[in-house]
Amino acid sequence: MKTICLYFEIHQITHLKRYRFFDIGTDHYYYDDYNNEQTMGRIVEQSYMPALTTLLDMCREHKGAFKVAFSLSGVGMEQLEMNAPQVLDVLAQLNETGCVEFLAEPYSHGLASLINEKCFEEDVKMQSAKIAEYFGKKPAVFRNSSLIYNDAIGEQVSKMGFKGVLTEGAKQVLGWKSPHYVYSCAYAPKLKLLMRDINLSDDISLRFNDSSWDGYPLFADKYIERIAALPEEEQVVNIFMELSSIGMAQPLSSNILDFLRALPVCAKNAGVSFSTPTEICQKFKSMGTIDVPEAVSWNDEERDTSSLLGNPLQQEAFNKLYSIADRVLIAKDPRISQDWAYLQATNNFSFMTTKYSGIGIDRGIYSSPFDAFTNYMNILGDFISRVNSLYPDDIDNEQLNSLLTTIRNQGDEIAMKDTEIERLQIKLQKAESQLATAKGKGAKKVETKATTKAATK
């Protein structure tokens, strides 16, 4: 029986403000709060709330026959907490239906997986903990920022304990193979790979409202018929997209919500089910390993990282940012850590792209890639100065880590001694109280004897 794995990404960048060279060293707040609030308000109204409410109705109506997965970046969740908590409320209601799975991803929606293993691991752990805090369960399946994946990333993700990974069904990886099977990581065969069906996914997220497309208009029954008509042995169909494509890229006036509502009924009639990523990893065996030596992603037609790191501007910003990754992790300064998460987001690098992707790029406040690069590097310059100011520059990372470990151990030892002192003080107070009670009883006994003796006389 064929099954559909439907997945939506929810991520919102924390927009950077205009930051001049002369602000370096004097202004340590980098964010455009007004832009963040306005952008979030627009997306919530036009996309997130209508789409999630529809999906919630579908889960309740079909009682386990319809299932869906979500991945939320940590920085995106922070934006929702500040500007749209109602979205998190609906997601909690979706979670209560038992028909939803929440996936792991980097908290920052960043690119650490391509350069720094420790930073990547900490990023994923932090997001997984936040998902568990909100929804009561740690994720079992992982998806990277922009579905970035290669063999080395798969190996590290497997070591973190995840059962599976969502990634792009790129032609340079699959070759003649179909994305409609479960595969496994070349470096960690126990890790399942779920490959995105590019055509079926983009038919909804990119082409649904395109009247010049030869598949227009797209109806739910015809869409499901295409899935049901796949060869019998091709049983897994992975349809992955951004949630914002519902309502933003494809406006609600296109009747895309009606299309979504009709999918479960049409699927049931065609003998097609819905499954979560974890269910697929449990039910289906791997058809073999897939070699992915170079990173793939779901970005643009080439399905690689060139739209994020393909030009000298992006590479300079990327290398400069992650040159201080170890010091940021060692420092464990809350304000530094928060800024670090926001500065890593992939959107900061996509604003700098000079590559034509066939899809319009909204650069926000920036007039060009060079404008985006200049603004980002000014902020990064201030941020790096703040990181370096925490500890002397002449101490390398290894020495700094050793020094801070010693300090933390001493702090732990002091805390243990303080606890012991507190325990002994309590014990002393009890002993003094018991002694005072005993003295009181003794004095009372003496007084009673004296009174008795006087009465006898």
Side-chain angles (χ1 to χ4, degrees):
M1 183 179 185
K2 288 181 173 54
T3 191
I4 296 172
C5 179
L6 182 62
Y7 150 80
F8 293 102
E9 174 200 63
I10 300 177
H11 163 64
Q12 287 299 312
I13 186 178
T14 301
H15 291 278
L16 303 178
K17 68 181 182 182
R18 278 288 176 190
Y19 194 91
R20 310 295 180 182
F21 176 80
F22 298 104
D23 294 327
I24 298 174
T26 61
D27 183 3
H28 303 318
Y29 190 78
Y30 311 134
Y31 313 109
D32 187 339
D33 293 332
Y34 177 79
N35 192 9
N36 286 323
E37 184 178 351
Q38 293 298 308
T39 300
M40 180 61 77
R42 185 174 67 255
I43 293 175
V44 167
E45 180 182 354
Q46 298 179 19
S47 172
Y48 287 175
M49 286 303 290
L52 289 173
T53 301
T54 298
L55 293 168
L56 177 59
D57 291 342
M58 292 164 65
C59 287
R60 287 173 172 171
E61 179 182 352
H62 297 284
K63 303 182 186 304
F66 173 75
K67 297 178 181 180
V68 63
F70 296 97
S71 178
L72 291 78
S73 69
V75 295
M77 292 181 75
E78 289 186 19
Q79 282 294 311
L80 293 173
E81 289 169 339
M82 289 186 288
N83 299 312
Q86 67 271 29
V87 173
L88 292 170
D89 290 341
V90 178
L91 286 167
Q93 293 177 54
L94 276 159
N95 184 50
E96 291 171 0
T97 67
C99 301
V100 171
E101 178 175 1
F102 291 94
L103 310 182
E105 71 164 71
Y107 189 96
S108 67
H109 201 270
L111 301 170
S113 60
L114 297 173
I115 193 169
N116 190 302
E117 289 188 2
K118 182 62 177 176
C119 178
F120 175 52
E121 183 177 352
E122 291 298 317
D123 215 7
V124 175
K125 284 181 177 179
M126 188 161 63
Q127 188 266 359
S128 295
K130 196 170 185 71
I131 291 294
E133 176 188 346
Y134 266 92
F135 306 113
K137 186 178 180 181
K138 283 195 173 182
V141 175
F142 175 79
R143 61 87 58 188
N144 204 1
S145 313
S146 300
L147 293 189
I148 292 172
Y149 176 82
N150 61 26
D151 294 331
I153 293 172
E155 182 179 29
Q156 187 174 0
V157 168
S158 178
K159 289 178 180 177
M160 291 185 209
F162 293 105
K163 298 177 181 178
V165 170
L166 274 58
T167 188
E168 182 74 340
K171 289 183 180 179
Q172 66 265 36
V173 168
L174 287 172
W176 56 269
K177 297 178 181 177
S178 168
H180 304 138
Y181 296 97
V182 173
Y183 297 98
S184 58
C185 172
Y187 290 1
K190 290 184 178 180
L191 183 74
K192 302 286 183 65
L193 302 184
L194 279 61
M195 316 294 285
R196 175 176 178 260
D197 185 306
I198 296 172
N199 291 327
L200 287 170
S201 299
D202 289 353
D203 283 352
I204 300 175
S205 63
L206 296 183
R207 294 182 283 270
F208 186 84
N209 195 45
D210 183 2
S211 58
S212 65
W213 172 45
D214 58 9
Y216 180 87
L218 181 62
F219 294 106
D221 56 349
K222 300 297 182 183
Y223 186 79
I224 294 296
E225 284 176 10
R226 286 166 54 192
I227 293 174
L230 291 169
E232 184 179 351
E233 62 275 11
E234 298 186 16
Q235 296 189 350
V236 177
V237 180
N238 299 310
I239 301 171
F240 306 158
M241 68 192 80
E242 296 177 354
L243 183 64
S244 61
S245 64
I246 310 298
M248 300 300 290
Q250 311 305 320
L252 300 182
S253 59
S254 67
N255 294 320
I256 193 165
L257 293 182
D258 293 332
F259 171 84
L260 286 178
R261 286 192 187 97
L263 286 178
V265 174
C266 294
K268 183 178 179 180
N269 293 338
V272 177
S273 67
F274 286 85
S275 299
T276 64
T278 291
E279 288 176 341
I280 290 175
C281 289
Q282 292 172 342
K283 292 178 183 177
F284 293 89
K285 293 182 179 180
S286 169
M287 292 298 293
T289 59
I290 290 285
D291 294 311
V292 191
E294 301 296 331
V296 297
S297 80
W298 68 1
N299 292 324
D300 67 52
E301 293 181 354
E302 294 184 22
R303 314 293 171 182
D304 57 17
T305 59
S306 58
S307 65
L308 296 171
L309 298 173
N311 67 40
L313 303 178
Q314 294 166 316
Q315 293 163 13
E316 171 67 16
F318 175 75
N319 290 327
K320 196 77 172 176
L321 175 66
Y322 286 103
S323 69
I324 56 168
D326 292 336
R327 292 181 79 85
V328 171
L329 294 180
I330 290 168
K332 297 186 182 299
D333 179 277
R335 180 65 186 277
I336 290 290
S337 297
Q338 185 178 55
D339 290 339
W340 171 246
Y342 296 158
L343 292 176
Q344 287 186 79
T346 58
N347 311 66
N348 293 313
F349 297 91
S350 64
F351 292 150
M352 303 177 202
T353 187
T354 53
K355 181 180 179 182
Y356 175 74
S357 65
I359 302 173
I361 298 175
D362 180 5
R363 298 187 197 273
I365 63 172
Y366 306 121
S367 59
S368 69
F370 308 98
D371 186 24
F373 171 76
T374 301
N375 200 69
Y376 184 80
M377 292 305 284
N378 285 341
I379 291 173
L380 188 56
D382 183 78
F383 180 71
I384 290 175
S385 295
R386 289 168 56 205
V387 173
N388 289 336
S389 69
L390 293 174
Y391 309 103
D393 292 344
D394 57 353
I395 301 178
D396 62 30
N397 290 336
E398 187 174 346
Q399 290 175 312
L400 180 58
N401 194 22
S402 177
L403 176 62
L404 291 178
T405 299
T406 301
I407 293 172
R408 291 189 185 106
N409 288 341
Q410 289 175 342
D412 292 341
E413 187 176 346
I414 291 171
M416 289 175 63
K417 289 182 177 179
D418 287 342
T419 302
E420 179 65 15
I421 290 171
E422 184 178 353
R423 187 185 69 81
L424 291 173
Q425 285 176 336
I426 293 172
K427 190 174 181 180
L428 179 61
Q429 289 174 357
K430 286 183 178 179
E432 289 176 344
S433 176
Q434 290 173 350
L435 181 60
T437 301
K439 286 182 177 180
K441 288 181 178 179
K444 193 171 183 180
K445 198 171 183 180
V446 170
E447 183 181 352
T448 300
K449 285 183 178 180
T451 302
T452 304
K453 191 173 181 180
T456 302
K457 287 182 177 180

